[in-house]
Amino acid sequence: MDQNQNCHKNNEFLFKVLIIGDVAVGKSSIMKRFAENVFDRKYGSTIGVDFKTKKLKLGGKAVKLQIWDTAGHERFRSITSAFYRGAHGIVLVYDVTRMETFTNIPKWLQELDLQDYNCTVKILFGNKSDLSSERDVPRETAFKYADSNNMFLFETSAKTGNSVNEAFEHLVSRMLVAFHEAESTATKPILSGDLSTCILSEQEKIIAGSGCSC
Amino acid sequence: LEEEKMFRKNKYWNQVNLDVKRSQRRFPPNLRVSRRTALQHQVINVIMRVLCRNPELHYYQGYHDVAVTLVLVTGEDLATALLEQISLHQLRDFMDHNMERTSQMLALIHAIIEVADPELERFLRRSDVGHMFALSWLITWFAHVVNDPDSIFRIFDFFLGTHPLMPIYLGAALVISHRNELLSCECEMSAVHHFLCSLPQHIPQSLEQLIEEAHDLFKKYPPQKLESASKRYLKESSAVRIHDTFVKELSNQRPDVILRQRSRSVLIAANHTTERLQPESNSGSSGIFVKLAFWALSASVGTMAFFVATTAKKWM
């Protein structure tokens, strides 16, 4: 509820980011690439939840990200979903070489709706973009879907590092705007925790382009 | 081929393949790729055989870590038999269609710490860390989180010969053994979760001591004596119920009777195993090898039964 108080300490913003998506789409690899700039081919399946922190500066602001990596396996969802609580940003991942991981994205969105996080900043990652010969999800289809759901889509490769940083920086910039927006309306009573952080200003909509809101 | 057709129809086929193919780090690093691929194929066979034979068992991520360990130690045939046994016995509660009973079993780690180290438990509770940190410890028998294969094998031996709740006691012993570092941690959920998740990497250096401590905890605070939260779990748990029946049956038998019973079924498997155990050797009569393998197999199966039988008397 009072996440805005929590996330701005000593002039450093602390944001909780959640990575979700189907099994073996590369959630852990994305986290490792972004937080430590490494790619480990031998990384096994994630059981339960794990997190890493990453500090970065964006537009003169110091930001500390706490990135939570969750298990993709459906049966763990009942116990991992407790960790969704209080997330400022959500990274939804699919694998561009496996169509079913893309068609499952609405299910993941629904999962979030059930958890009442429909107003957190969300972003879509089409991972494994380096495997161009095995591509199963056409770019156009994916971008059209992202547009119609008001989400930003980045095709990333945790293996080569392609677009991973850019995608996270975009997410951070949107979380910052959402934070300031929430702060400026904070005098009003906040009804539900995440509602206030999700309302984007007009200015942000222009920066973000394509009329994207959360 | 007929068998693989059946495997493919099983709803867990894809999931099992995805998990086993990503389990490279569980195999010895100097293994040839072709050999590793062959072993991974065996792991898939072992898991699928057990799942197809027991449709009431539901696969979970981490089950493959248990299967990898068994295949590395015993080979495909015996691993199948062992995996089926422990799936119906020690791992049974994790293989429900949901995680309800797993969650309840996990919660026992706090019940144990509560009685063994109340100050530490107060700290953990204040941090709101929950029990998620111990999920992979419990459902993979530490195979997913310990990097040293020999330590994993030792842990498996310990768990095979004791109570199904022993993984929880070992987890509690591990947490308690790092109590001072924990108490100096910032009392905040993510920091504490992170610290707890990093503990298994220290297991190889102090495994024997941890095993002793876990065993002591079990003796001092057996499951029946834990707080009421565990009572409900104990009532609902198949793993514990099956174990209790098993122990009762054992106390009415002498171990050599079990050995003789097992030996009949093992004899057939032993004939197959001789080839694998002695691939290069062509000297000596096959009869000796049959006897040798037979002895090794009955001993490995028998040790578990024997250990359970002897320790069971102490518990009862």
Side-chain angles (χ1 to χ4, degrees):
Chain A
M1 291 294 153
D2 55 352
Q3 54 173 295
N4 284 337
Q5 277 100 56
N6 290 337
C7 72
H8 192 194
K9 257 190 235 165
N10 313 322
N11 288 324
E12 188 184 59
F13 292 86
L14 173 65
F15 289 129
K16 177 175 171 181
V17 174
L18 196 72
I19 307 182
I20 57 176
D22 272 13
V23 170
V25 294
K27 295 180 292 296
S28 306
S29 296
I30 285 173
M31 177 177 77
K32 273 186 102 86
R33 168 60 76 187
F34 179 62
E36 295 164 356
N37 200 21
V38 290
F39 178 73
D40 180 2
R41 192 183 285 279
K42 289 183 179 172
Y43 205 86
S45 32
T46 307
I47 295 169
V49 289
D50 187 15
F51 82 93
K52 292 200 182 302
T53 48
K54 163 96 175 174
K55 288 181 178 186
L56 68 157
K57 272 211 152 124
L58 202 72
K61 287 175 181 124
V63 176
K64 188 174 166 186
L65 290 185
Q66 194 179 74
I67 307 161
W68 289 81
D69 174 30
T70 61
H73 196 188
E74 192 165 357
R75 61 185 289 119
F76 290 136
R77 224 164 290 165
S78 60
I79 43 180
T80 52
S81 58
F83 286 79
Y84 293 8
R85 219 184 302 142
H88 302 90
I90 287 166
V91 175
L92 289 134
V93 188
Y94 68 90
D95 173 352
V96 297
T97 69
R98 283 191 295 144
M99 188 50 127
E100 76 271 16
T101 65
F102 175 72
T103 49
N104 274 339
I105 291 290
K107 276 192 200 156
W108 284 102
L109 285 170
Q110 234 172 38
E111 187 78 20
L112 294 170
D113 284 349
L114 289 176
Q115 298 288 334
D116 202 25
Y117 298 124
N118 46 335
C119 277
T120 320
V121 179
K122 288 187 286 267
I123 187 169
L124 195 58
F125 280 36
N127 196 37
K128 306 195 190 178
S129 65
D130 54 289
L131 302 173
S132 47
S133 61
E134 294 168 46
R135 181 183 279 276
D136 195 20
V137 183
R139 283 178 70 94
E140 307 73 50
T141 317
F143 276 98
K144 212 179 264 176
Y145 173 79
D147 261 357
S148 61
N149 284 277
N150 292 324
M151 278 188 294
F152 251 87
L153 167 65
F154 285 84
E155 289 203 337
T156 58
S157 165
K159 191 172 168 187
T160 65
N162 185 40
S163 292
V164 173
N165 283 348
E166 291 88 323
F168 271 101
E169 279 167 15
H170 175 80
L171 177 70
V172 170
S173 68
R174 294 205 34 214
M175 289 191 299
L176 280 169
V177 172
F179 172 80
H180 287 303
E181 180 63 29
E183 205 176 37
S184 63
T185 56
T187 42
K188 296 173 207 161
I190 293 167
L191 295 174
S192 78
D194 296 311
L195 192 66
S196 55
T197 57
C198 79
I199 305 159
L200 299 177
S201 65
E202 285 305 310
Q203 197 191 355
E204 156 68 0
K205 279 181 187 164
I206 295 158
I207 296 166
S210 69
C212 175
S213 78
C214 62
Chain B
L1 273 170
E2 203 52 43
E3 196 183 31
E4 195 171 313
K5 250 188 227 162
M6 180 180 71
F7 290 171
R8 283 174 187 280
K9 275 189 223 148
N10 189 284
K11 62 175 167 176
Y12 293 114
W13 169 254
N14 279 333
Q15 178 74 52
V16 171
N17 272 275
L18 283 173
D19 288 336
V20 176
K21 280 181 186 148
R22 290 193 293 164
S23 63
Q24 294 106 302
R25 69 178 179 89
R26 290 293 321 281
F27 294 87
N30 50 357
L31 211 61
R32 279 204 317 276
V33 177
S34 59
R35 179 73 187 128
R36 197 194 66 216
T37 318
L39 281 171
Q40 283 174 310
H41 194 71
Q42 290 185 9
V43 173
I44 294 175
N45 285 344
V46 166
I47 296 175
M48 292 314 299
R49 244 169 247 147
V50 174
L51 292 178
C52 288
R53 270 212 289 260
N54 304 278
E56 77 278 17
L57 298 180
H58 297 269
Y59 174 80
Y60 60 86
Q61 271 187 326
Y63 187 66
H64 69 293
D65 281 303
V66 177
V68 168
T69 311
L70 297 177
V71 168
L72 283 177
V73 176
T74 67
E76 188 173 340
D77 293 338
L78 195 54
T80 311
L82 272 169
L83 186 67
E84 185 164 30
Q85 276 309 307
I86 63 174
S87 303
L88 294 166
H89 183 171
Q90 288 97 328
L91 309 179
R92 182 60 191 84
D93 292 349
F94 316 141
M95 305 199 72
D96 286 349
H97 68 282
N98 63 31
M99 303 292 286
E100 187 73 20
R101 293 200 292 187
T102 306
S103 224
Q104 286 181 28
M105 199 199 264
L106 270 176
L108 294 185
I109 198 166
H110 287 291
I112 298 165
I113 300 173
E114 166 100 73
V115 284
D117 190 340
E119 186 194 0
L120 181 61
E121 178 55 19
R122 272 196 301 278
F123 174 86
L124 292 175
R125 220 170 261 176
R126 219 170 50 233
S127 76
D128 204 16
V129 71
H131 47 242
M132 235 359 217
F133 64 89
L135 177 68
S136 57
W137 306 358
L138 177 67
I139 64 178
T140 73
W141 280 7
F142 291 85
H144 190 74
V145 285
V146 172
N147 287 324
D148 171 46
D150 287 332
S151 301
I152 298 176
F153 302 155
R154 174 72 179 105
I155 293 172
F156 269 52
D157 277 345
F158 178 50
F159 290 162
L160 280 172
T162 50
H163 195 273
L165 286 176
M166 198 52 91
I168 285 288
Y169 282 83
L170 187 65
L174 179 64
V175 174
I176 292 169
S177 72
H178 291 269
R179 70 176 308 275
N180 292 335
E181 293 145 271
L182 252 170
L183 290 173
S184 60
C185 242
E186 190 191 348
C187 190
E188 183 267 331
M189 190 268 183
S190 58
V192 175
H193 177 85
H194 195 63
F195 181 80
L196 289 168
C197 286
S198 73
L199 291 182
Q201 73 191 41
H202 306 297
I203 285 184
Q205 295 92 351
S206 55
L207 182 55
E208 291 311 317
Q209 201 189 332
L210 279 173
I211 285 180
E212 257 172 55
E213 282 161 12
H215 198 245
D216 283 349
L217 281 176
F218 192 95
K219 274 192 290 189
K220 261 195 237 165
Y221 316 109
Q224 309 87 305
K225 282 194 186 163
L226 294 176
E227 59 158 310
S228 57
S230 74
K231 297 261 158 46
R232 189 173 139 234
Y233 169 72
L234 290 176
K235 232 182 271 167
E236 289 177 6
S237 166
S238 315
V240 173
R241 193 183 60 243
I242 294 165
H243 181 79
D244 288 347
T245 325
F246 179 59
V247 169
K248 236 171 242 161
E249 281 170 7
L250 276 177
S251 65
N252 297 328
Q253 287 173 318
R254 267 191 276 149
D256 59 345
V257 179
I258 299 158
L259 277 183
R260 245 177 279 137
Q261 271 178 1
R262 291 304 297 242
S263 64
R264 253 170 265 134
S265 57
V266 161
L267 191 59
I268 305 153
N271 275 318
H272 292 294
T273 355
T274 42
E275 291 158 36
R276 203 174 49 235
L277 287 172
Q278 302 286 342
E280 251 78 68
S281 171
N282 48 14
S283 66
S285 71
S286 63
I288 290 169
F289 287 130
V290 173
K291 271 183 205 158
L292 260 176
F294 170 55
W295 178 85
L297 287 168
S298 11
S300 59
V301 177
T303 325
M304 175 200 161
F306 186 75
F307 188 60
V308 173
T310 43
T311 40
K313 286 191 185 114
K314 291 179 205 155
W315 298 336
M316 295 181 73

